[in-house]
Amino acid sequence: YPLFQRGGPQLRIFRPNFFMLAVRPGVPQPEDTVQFRVSMEMTKVDIRNYLERIYNVPVAAVRTRIQHGANNKRNHRNQREKKPDYKVAYVQLGQGQTFQFPNLFPEKEQDTETRSFDDFRSKYMEKEKQKDDPRRGGVPDWFGL
Amino acid sequence: MAVLRARLLLRPARRWLSQAEPTGPAPPAEPLYPPIVASITAKSKAAQQRRRELFKQRVHEAATVEEKLRLYGKLQRPKYMVFPQTFALNADRWYRSFTNTVFVPGMTPRATAAPAAGAAPEAGGAPGAAVAPAAATAPEPEAGAAARLDVGELRSLACDALLQESFYQNKKRPFLYRDQDHTPGPFLTQLVSTLAAFLSAHNPLLAASSLDLKPEVNYYWHHGEEVVVHGHRKGRVDPVRFQIDDKPHLQIRVPKQLPEVVPLESDLGDVPVINHKPSKLPLFKKQYENKVFIGSKVADPCCYGHTQFHLIPDRLKRERLIKARLEDQIEVVYRSNGIASLFAWTAAQAMYQGFWSDADVTRPFVSQAVVTDGKYFAFFCYQLNTLALTAETIKNNPRKNICWGTDSKALYDVVEDGNVKGFNDEVLLHLVRFLLNRPKEL
């Protein structure tokens, strides 16, 4: 963004690509810290305003860093494949609020009917083997010229 | 032949057996072989343990305190830099867990008993009424006797310093973000030096004290353990290293230790336990010299601390925190400054006396601090009961360090036209009581 000096015009951005994606932190974070993946063009001030004005979330502090996407994998043509870079924001909530990322895929409780059906199905699947070529008459496949 | 030989052999054997077991040569006083201990250079846990024991032995056997400090901070590794004046949210809770400190709001029990004696120094209006409660608490020879402190004179000293700095002296506008160095800094220096000089008649310890201007206080310690994440030492279990580098505005060092407030093994609260890494505070790592310093070198006679004075910088001023809607963090700033600075100072004093994490302190080290931003004053008193904070020494250590602290109170409301409006005597008296603190023998 261009530097603002006293007396200069106010910066106006129309239709910016500002998005925020709440993610589960890879390393455990303190209770009041929420981790987001944000657009590369967003600053700490932008993130604070975004959360406070659109979602009414009190924000105490914001810290950001840019995660470099690795460029080591190679495709079938031996060309390097770059994973995209992204910006990570750590937001500390104000007014003593806490946040714990929810478990989106909880273990479903199985009742007795589905459990017995699962056991039956696994037993049945055991019997189905890959059948050999019937033209060989049961002769193993290593037997030959 | 064989039989003869056997009989020959047997005969002496029978002689041996027939004789009563003689008192053979006594087992030698020293064992014949050296003791079986782990190797020093092997790549094993036992060898690592033996190397640690050898290091501890070397430090214990060091001849001088300087040699001990040199060996203690010899190995340099990346460590967390702990800043007493920090913008981090809820930093005082984290600092309390790093330093094993219990925070007790309010002032020490001795200071709350002292108002009875502090009432005695009230202007000579009612010395008789004040002597009775003073005699009940502690028969201080000062109370009501020869030395009587005039609150009016103290107030005039403080107002003089304030007006000189803010009103009478013609100063240009302060540079950007240099407000604190412009007026509150010089005011604090002037106030403390005049009050200390005035009160040295009542407190002989102050007469023998040393007032430092912008000294440096450093301390290095280990607390807890972590696994190294990346690098050539990946996977090894390392102690978590911390370093405090503090520059208080003023410092008073004295040749005699302040008396203890509570006994060494007292338990006044709980230390917060935080299971996250310190880097989430946020706290950053750097590798540089492991320094332990109280403000003067080891040979200085004034090796104990009395009072520190800290000035809050511009970026942590009240107005900025209120504008950022972080009103609850105002007190956190004062508290974290008090706890961290005082822990570093008292622990460095203890190291200067030869104690370290393996040789824990045998007597508590007490120091005081005043944290201010020019107008609001917060008072802290710290008692260091233990230096043993490393992972192995803290296991069976029931002792905790204690910090008493008050909320910040305004000394005055506003300075207008050569008058100080709304002067708060309480804060001034508290400051005076801090300066008058001395060991009981004096």
Side-chain angles (χ1 to χ4, degrees):
Chain A
Y1 300 127
L3 184 68
F4 175 78
Q5 286 158 326
R6 205 161 48 165
Q10 186 187 20
L11 175 71
R12 291 171 200 279
I13 307 175
F14 299 102
R15 302 179 69 236
N17 182 20
F18 280 0
F19 66 86
M20 286 184 73
L21 176 71
V23 295
R24 179 191 294 280
V27 282
Q29 296 284 342
E31 291 81 30
D32 59 345
T33 307
V34 193
Q35 188 167 335
F36 291 95
R37 284 193 192 185
V38 300
S39 155
M40 289 281 265
E41 289 83 24
M42 283 178 88
T43 61
K44 292 182 184 180
V45 180
D46 289 331
I47 293 168
R48 182 191 289 268
N49 289 340
Y50 188 104
L51 285 175
E52 279 180 346
R53 302 216 188 147
I54 303 179
Y55 291 97
N56 289 327
V57 171
V59 169
V62 182
R63 298 188 292 275
T64 56
R65 67 178 178 92
I66 295 188
Q67 177 62 53
H68 168 79
N71 200 6
N72 295 328
K73 285 259 153 62
R74 291 189 183 250
N75 61 6
H76 61 281
R77 293 156 148 205
N78 207 26
Q79 291 167 335
R80 273 186 298 178
E81 277 181 333
K82 161 106 181 141
K83 293 193 177 147
D85 301 332
Y86 53 91
K87 189 180 258 195
V88 181
Y90 301 91
V91 175
Q92 280 187 303
L93 304 172
Q95 289 159 28
Q97 291 184 4
T98 58
F99 179 78
Q100 189 66 29
F101 197 84
N103 187 3
L104 299 171
F105 308 103
E107 287 287 319
K108 265 199 296 239
E109 260 196 40
Q110 284 186 340
D111 44 335
T112 47
E113 212 182 273
T114 41
R115 225 180 295 133
S116 60
F117 175 69
D118 282 333
D119 292 337
F120 176 72
R121 197 173 48 178
S122 56
K123 252 193 300 189
Y124 178 69
M125 298 296 269
E126 254 171 40
K127 292 196 188 114
E128 261 199 23
K129 283 188 299 230
Q130 193 69 17
K131 286 259 190 284
D132 314 318
D133 195 351
R135 291 173 292 180
R136 284 180 70 88
V139 174
D141 52 2
W142 47 262
F143 192 84
L145 286 165
Chain B
M1 274 279 283
V3 175
L4 280 171
R5 212 182 292 139
R7 238 187 252 145
L8 272 169
L9 282 170
L10 226 75
R11 250 185 255 129
R14 246 192 269 141
R15 212 183 293 146
W16 290 339
L17 287 171
S18 59
Q19 286 175 6
E21 198 43 53
T23 52
E30 287 163 19
L32 282 174
Y33 301 100
I36 302 172
V37 282
S39 137
I40 299 182
T41 49
K43 192 179 163 189
S44 67
K45 293 245 167 52
Q48 203 183 48
Q49 192 62 28
R50 178 119 189 270
R51 280 188 293 254
R52 277 201 210 123
E53 297 298 319
L54 279 176
F55 167 73
K56 284 186 214 169
Q57 209 182 342
R58 272 180 77 192
V59 181
H60 280 294
E61 284 164 10
T64 58
V65 171
E66 284 98 338
E67 181 64 19
K68 259 197 203 174
L69 291 177
R70 190 190 76 87
L71 288 172
Y72 178 74
K74 190 163 152 205
L75 178 62
Q76 278 191 19
R77 283 269 151 77
K79 57 193 174 178
Y80 286 110
M81 298 181 291
V82 175
F83 293 99
Q85 295 177 330
T86 171
F87 51 78
L89 305 180
N90 298 327
D92 71 320
R93 209 169 146 256
W94 289 78
Y95 286 3
R96 269 184 287 149
S97 87
F98 296 152
T99 61
N100 204 3
T101 310
V102 170
F103 185 78
V104 178
M107 248 301 121
T108 59
R110 204 165 20 98
T112 42
E122 283 309 296
V131 165
T137 49
E140 279 190 48
E142 318 292 301
R148 210 167 293 155
L149 285 169
D150 194 0
V151 177
E153 200 168 329
L154 291 167
R155 200 187 302 138
S156 70
L157 275 177
C159 292
D160 273 343
L162 187 55
L163 287 170
Q164 175 68 21
E165 290 303 327
S166 40
F167 181 69
Y168 292 126
Q169 197 169 1
N170 224 354
K171 291 185 188 174
K172 298 197 184 121
R173 268 183 62 185
F175 194 71
L176 187 61
Y177 301 131
R178 294 267 188 271
D179 284 315
Q180 293 294 96
D181 300 334
H182 195 255
T183 311
F187 158 60
L188 189 63
T189 318
Q190 203 59 34
L191 177 72
V192 170
S193 30
T194 42
L195 278 181
F198 184 76
L199 293 170
S200 55
H202 304 273
N203 187 356
L205 195 66
L206 277 182
S209 69
S210 157
L211 179 73
D212 301 334
L213 302 167
K214 296 212 170 61
E216 224 183 82
V217 172
N218 313 74
Y219 185 60
Y220 168 75
W221 80 102
H222 295 184
H223 176 71
E225 271 184 344
E226 65 172 0
V227 179
V228 180
V229 169
H230 52 254
H232 66 281
R233 303 185 72 239
K234 183 174 171 177
R236 296 178 212 194
V237 175
D238 248 5
V240 184
R241 293 166 280 261
F242 297 93
Q243 168 89 36
I244 291 187
D245 298 310
D246 185 25
K247 283 184 101 97
H249 191 77
L250 283 172
Q251 189 172 276
I252 299 179
R253 275 177 301 113
V254 288
K256 294 218 174 68
Q257 174 76 64
L258 285 176
E260 67 172 31
V261 183
V262 287
L264 195 58
E265 303 277 350
S266 37
D267 186 359
L268 293 180
D270 283 319
V271 179
V273 173
I274 299 183
N275 293 324
H276 296 101
K277 283 171 73 165
S279 58
K280 309 283 175 243
L281 173 58
L283 217 53
F284 298 97
K285 275 194 167 180
K286 203 162 94 159
Q287 177 173 325
Y288 57 105
E289 193 202 350
N290 300 331
K291 202 165 163 191
V292 177
F293 196 62
I294 63 165
S296 62
K297 294 195 181 166
V298 184
D300 196 299
C302 292
C303 53
Y304 294 104
H306 189 268
T307 323
Q308 263 183 347
F309 293 86
H310 295 267
L311 194 63
I312 300 243
D314 281 288
R315 60 176 193 280
L316 295 172
K317 280 198 303 203
R318 270 189 136 80
E319 296 86 31
R320 276 181 81 100
L321 289 174
I322 292 172
K323 212 163 62 151
R325 277 175 287 161
L326 292 167
E327 291 89 2
D328 42 343
Q329 299 297 317
I330 296 176
E331 289 306 320
V332 167
V333 166
Y334 286 91
R335 278 201 297 262
S336 60
N337 197 352
I339 292 174
S341 305
L342 282 175
F343 169 75
W345 204 27
T346 46
Q349 288 166 42
M351 286 210 82
Y352 270 35
Q353 302 306 311
F355 301 108
W356 58 295
S357 49
D358 221 43
D360 212 354
V361 294
T362 48
R363 58 183 197 279
F365 283 75
V366 174
S367 287
Q368 300 166 132
V370 177
V371 184
T372 174
D373 70 344
K375 190 166 153 193
Y376 290 85
F377 284 71
F379 299 92
F380 295 90
C381 180
Y382 197 93
Q383 174 163 329
L384 184 86
N385 292 328
T386 174
L387 271 183
L389 300 171
T390 58
E392 28 177 272
T393 47
I394 206 176
K395 265 187 225 158
N396 302 325
N397 189 10
R399 299 193 207 162
K400 299 171 201 166
N401 304 320
I402 310 171
C403 182
W404 288 267
T406 62
D407 282 342
S408 51
K409 279 193 262 240
L411 179 66
Y412 60 92
D413 278 336
V414 72
V415 176
E416 261 178 27
D417 284 344
N419 292 326
V420 175
K421 300 250 164 65
F423 196 86
N424 189 353
D425 279 340
E426 250 182 62
V427 174
L428 184 63
L429 282 178
H430 208 147
L431 183 60
V432 165
R433 242 175 272 137
F434 257 33
L435 288 172
L436 285 178
N437 205 356
R438 62 185 174 283
K440 296 209 179 40
E441 304 86 52
L442 286 180

